[in-house]
Amino acid sequence: MKTFAEFWPFYVGEHRKPVTRALHFCGSSAVVVLALTAVLTQRWVLLPVAVVQGYAWAWVGHFGFEKNRPATFKYPLWSLAGDWKMWALMLTGRMGAEVKRLGLDSPPAGARQGVRA
């Protein structure tokens, strides 16, 4: 992939489940709160905690619910940009419409349906 515009539909496709997107939102929001707190209190030890929080919430979504590998493993910079674009769209209530616009509001072809044992 050569552009973010090309990457974005792939990124959204890796976040089809609302629970995965919600976990990403929680993690990214924790990053914002912890980073701001670190700056305001000069407790710099909170910055690595912020990074861990951001990834931890997202990885629970990917490994636990989405059953895929985070895009950050292959596309770290575009994935970071995608995280913040998704966070902004969720914050403004527009992410659901974006998923539908991209035609990614249904399971991918060949995905298993039903309840897991």
Side-chain angles (χ1 to χ4, degrees):
M1 291 185 227
K2 296 182 180 179
T3 67
F4 183 77
E6 185 180 352
F7 172 76
W8 177 245
F10 165 77
Y11 180 86
V12 175
E14 295 294 294
H15 301 83
R16 288 176 188 263
K17 294 185 179 184
V19 67
T20 304
R21 295 190 301 269
L23 287 165
H24 265 270
F25 186 82
C26 289
S28 295
S29 296
V31 168
V32 170
V33 169
L34 287 164
L36 284 173
T37 301
V39 169
L40 293 174
T41 65
Q42 295 186 352
R43 293 182 61 207
W44 307 115
V45 70
L46 293 176
L47 293 177
V49 174
V51 172
V52 169
Q53 284 295 303
Y55 282 114
W57 288 82
W59 289 3
V60 167
H62 285 286
F63 294 120
F65 296 96
E66 204 73 45
K67 306 296 185 199
N68 63 16
R69 294 183 66 212
T72 194
F73 291 168
K74 192 169 183 180
Y75 305 101
L77 295 178
W78 283 343
S79 181
L80 182 63
D83 286 345
W84 291 110
K85 179 174 180 174
M86 184 168 68
W87 183 80
L89 289 170
M90 291 181 75
L91 188 65
T92 58
R94 298 179 296 153
M95 188 63 198
E98 181 69 359
V99 172
K100 287 181 183 177
R101 181 187 75 78
L102 295 171
L104 298 168
D105 53 340
S106 60
R112 292 184 357 176
Q113 298 290 320
V115 178
R116 293 183 185 247

